[in-house]
Amino acid sequence: MKPEHKEIMKARRRNIRLTVSYDGTAYNGFQRQNPPQVAVQNVLEEKLAAVCGDSVELAASGRTDSGVHAMGQVVNFFTDGTIPLDRLPRAVNSILPPDIVVLDAAEADRDFSARHSAKSKIYIYRILQGYIPDPFERNYSWNIHKELDTESMKECLRMIEGTHDFSAFRAAGGPPVSPVRTIYEASLEKKGRIVELKFFANGFLYHMVRNLVGTLVNVGMGRTSVQRFGEIMASLDRNQAGATAPAQGLYLYKVNY
Amino acid sequence: MKPEHKEIMKARRRNIRLTVSYDGTAYNGFQRQNPPQVAVQNVLEEKLAAVCGDSVELAASGRTDSGVHAMGQVVNFFTDGTIPLDRLPRAVNSILPPDIVVLDAAEADRDFSARHSAKSKIYIYRILQGYIPDPFERNYSWNIHKELDTESMKECLRMIEGTHDFSAFRAAGGPPVSPVRTIYEASLEKKGRIVELKFFANGFLYHMVRNLVGTLVNVGMGRTSVQRFGEIMASLDRNQAGATAPAQGLYLYKVNY
């Protein structure tokens, strides 16, 4: 966005904050793409513009990659549209495709930014254990063909809690920001054949959750020891860690402000 | 199948029984269709033929309609193929599309028929309550825009348990069979915003579950009283009952032999 364009947007009367849930399967991620590629943002901006009666440019808490899902993505936009807040979700949901849903709309302060005001985020990663797949889980989890040693995985999760340099789990190509992040909670819960991992942190590096999960699954499969996991983390070297876990198991669960 | 063709099939050495799960969203139901329409049976027969090395003709416990799902559909087929049972699921799953999964394979008696030997079946129907949809439920439940009076629905479920003439809930166009069925269990369970209905019976008429659910939802929404539900059932008249509930909430859960 050009600076003068940003000023035009800021001159609009309302700053609206939305909580959005989407099934990422069919989209090239959240962030706006040039057609014919379609991202969640393209679709949301078009439908919000129709409901608000002016152009819409969204800021989001962060991008999500192709195939990644969201239960609680947060976005904001400036508008002169006069639609009442309590009608907005229903109005826009009625024209959105059913894999994108606006859960909630709120009036925000003028200086609220879904991106810059975010204090912490929660991601969930779902793994399906067992060599028989589940047709209902094919787009919603990562199928690992054996039972995981979840006790060893939990030891590693305790290791990553706290403030650390997560360079070993940082993808090449991300923005040049500090690799230090604070993980408030990293936990594991079993739900039948599903292993659900939860990561609650003040922020995440590019591909950090998926790189952590790839390495944690190596521990769960007995390919990497708990001690080795600690060494990988301390090495600050991405080449030591496991492969990036597939996108379809990942959910942006919640953004806190 | 022509009678002589049936004899050829019966002359084959093995009768194999499979338990199959599928996401019905993309298919024109279970029963084989003429191309370009694609049913689950078309896909399964083609992939099983590739694995077994001879043509495959499936018999199923029953058809499921377009968009209806299965967690435990049962099928059988005769083959001279020599693939060991313990390798069959993995072999066929590796070439099946991921929305169809063979859960289990077993050697069956020569006179076992997935269709004719079935003793009872369990169907599940899932309803999502509330006016905000859920993108992850769009193909897997029926979204009702208000909270349902589940206590009244439970009273109706108790009414349908036992042996009754279910003509009021029978779709026109089904096969000319007796309308009397025995429901062993009809129950309701709340799981967050989801209301899950379970129907366990010795058999079901065409569209019987979906017609029951359509009428039960009218009760849950206060449009139809519990007493009126009883009158509808006793009328034996399909025109008295509610609309057919949509396919995507229905699951063939289990078939008992």
Side-chain angles (χ1 to χ4, degrees):
Chain A
M1 215 188 293
K2 290 179 192 161
E4 62 269 33
H5 187 66
K6 207 162 180 173
E7 288 312 306
I8 292 169
M9 285 294 156
K10 282 266 190 183
R12 290 180 170 180
R13 282 189 297 271
R14 304 168 77 192
N15 185 8
I16 294 182
R17 166 184 166 166
L18 303 178
T19 310
V20 183
S21 181
Y22 47 85
D23 177 338
T25 307
Y27 297 98
N28 281 93
F30 181 84
Q31 193 175 36
R32 195 193 305 127
Q33 302 285 312
N34 291 324
Q37 301 222 69
V38 180
V40 175
Q41 187 174 4
N42 296 63
V43 179
L44 259 180
E45 288 181 343
E46 181 197 324
K47 302 306 182 189
L48 285 166
V51 164
C52 293
D54 57 13
S55 66
V56 167
E57 297 197 9
L58 293 175
S61 75
R63 62 181 77 177
T64 54
D65 285 332
S66 186
V68 173
H69 313 292
M71 289 161 165
Q73 171 69 288
V74 177
V75 302
N76 75 296
F77 65 101
F78 291 92
T79 182
D80 285 329
T82 54
I83 183 165
L85 277 184
D86 59 351
R87 288 221 210 121
L88 200 154
R90 209 189 288 226
V92 68
N93 288 337
S94 73
I95 54 173
L96 277 170
D99 51 4
I100 304 177
V101 172
V102 172
L103 302 177
D104 181 68
E107 212 83 40
D109 290 342
R110 293 209 61 77
D111 57 354
F112 172 80
S113 156
R115 180 164 171 216
H116 299 291
S117 311
K119 292 275 183 291
S120 61
K121 286 184 191 171
I122 301 174
Y123 278 95
I124 300 277
Y125 197 97
R126 299 177 77 248
I127 297 165
L128 176 72
Q129 302 174 99
Y131 84 93
I132 297 284
D134 179 336
F136 302 103
E137 286 289 341
R138 70 193 188 284
N139 297 322
Y140 307 112
S141 61
W142 180 20
N143 188 196
I144 297 291
H145 289 195
K146 58 181 278 188
E147 203 171 330
L148 295 167
D149 170 4
T150 50
E151 288 311 309
S152 294
M153 292 170 76
K154 282 181 187 173
E155 285 188 59
C156 298
L157 291 172
R158 280 192 290 273
M159 239 183 259
I160 64 171
E161 285 181 337
T163 303
H164 305 283
D165 182 328
F166 287 99
S167 292
F169 304 104
R170 172 190 206 157
V177 291
S178 160
V180 176
R181 292 290 181 275
T182 301
I183 298 188
Y184 305 117
E185 186 194 335
S187 58
L188 181 155
E189 197 180 347
K190 283 186 180 184
K191 299 178 173 180
R193 286 173 64 195
I194 295 284
V195 170
E196 197 174 284
L197 299 164
K198 183 178 168 184
F199 301 91
F200 172 27
N202 64 352
F204 294 88
L205 303 168
Y206 189 53
H207 278 185
M208 177 172 150
V209 176
R210 289 166 60 189
N211 290 340
L212 278 166
V213 172
T215 314
L216 286 162
V217 162
N218 282 344
V219 171
M221 295 179 85
R223 290 176 186 161
T224 299
S225 69
V226 174
Q227 189 197 325
R228 175 75 193 129
F229 182 91
E231 290 165 8
I232 290 168
M233 187 167 150
S235 76
L236 309 183
D237 176 6
R238 173 69 190 96
N239 296 316
Q240 309 278 318
T244 307
Q248 81 272 4
L250 185 61
Y251 300 72
L252 174 54
Y253 182 71
K254 193 164 189 272
V255 187
N256 299 306
Y257 290 92
Chain B
M1 216 186 293
K2 291 178 191 161
E4 63 270 32
H5 186 67
K6 207 162 180 171
E7 287 313 304
I8 292 169
M9 285 293 156
K10 283 265 189 182
R12 290 179 170 180
R13 283 189 296 271
R14 304 167 78 192
N15 185 8
I16 294 183
R17 166 184 166 165
L18 304 176
T19 310
V20 183
S21 181
Y22 47 85
D23 177 338
T25 307
Y27 298 98
N28 281 94
F30 181 84
Q31 193 175 39
R32 195 193 304 127
Q33 303 284 312
N34 292 322
Q37 300 223 70
V38 180
V40 175
Q41 187 173 4
N42 297 63
V43 179
L44 259 179
E45 288 180 343
E46 181 197 324
K47 302 306 182 190
L48 285 166
V51 164
C52 293
D54 57 13
S55 67
V56 167
E57 297 198 10
L58 293 175
S61 75
R63 61 182 77 179
T64 54
D65 285 332
S66 185
V68 172
H69 313 292
M71 288 161 166
Q73 171 71 286
V74 177
V75 301
N76 75 296
F77 65 101
F78 291 92
T79 182
D80 284 330
T82 54
I83 182 164
L85 276 184
D86 60 350
R87 287 221 211 122
L88 200 154
R90 210 188 286 226
V92 68
N93 288 338
S94 73
I95 54 174
L96 277 169
D99 51 6
I100 304 177
V101 172
V102 172
L103 302 177
D104 181 67
E107 212 84 40
D109 290 341
R110 293 208 60 77
D111 58 355
F112 172 80
S113 155
R115 180 164 170 214
H116 299 291
S117 312
K119 292 277 183 291
S120 61
K121 286 183 192 172
I122 300 174
Y123 278 96
I124 300 277
Y125 196 97
R126 298 177 77 248
I127 297 166
L128 176 72
Q129 301 174 99
Y131 84 92
I132 297 284
D134 180 337
F136 302 103
E137 286 289 340
R138 70 193 188 283
N139 298 322
Y140 307 112
S141 62
W142 180 19
N143 188 197
I144 297 291
H145 289 194
K146 57 182 278 186
E147 203 171 330
L148 295 167
D149 170 3
T150 50
E151 288 311 308
S152 294
M153 292 170 75
K154 283 181 186 171
E155 285 189 58
C156 298
L157 291 172
R158 281 192 289 272
M159 239 183 258
I160 64 171
E161 285 182 338
T163 303
H164 305 283
D165 182 327
F166 287 100
S167 292
F169 304 105
R170 172 189 206 158
V177 291
S178 161
V180 176
R181 292 291 181 275
T182 301
I183 297 189
Y184 305 117
E185 186 194 336
S187 59
L188 181 154
E189 197 180 347
K190 282 187 181 183
K191 299 178 174 181
R193 286 173 64 194
I194 295 284
V195 170
E196 197 173 284
L197 299 164
K198 182 178 169 185
F199 301 91
F200 171 27
N202 64 353
F204 294 89
L205 303 167
Y206 188 54
H207 278 184
M208 177 172 150
V209 176
R210 289 166 61 188
N211 290 340
L212 277 167
V213 172
T215 314
L216 285 162
V217 162
N218 283 344
V219 171
M221 294 180 85
R223 290 176 185 162
T224 298
S225 69
V226 174
Q227 190 197 322
R228 175 74 193 131
F229 182 90
E231 291 165 7
I232 290 167
M233 187 168 151
S235 76
L236 309 182
D237 177 5
R238 173 69 189 96
N239 295 315
Q240 308 279 318
T244 307
Q248 82 271 5
L250 186 62
Y251 300 72
L252 174 54
Y253 181 71
K254 192 163 190 272
V255 186
N256 299 305
Y257 290 91

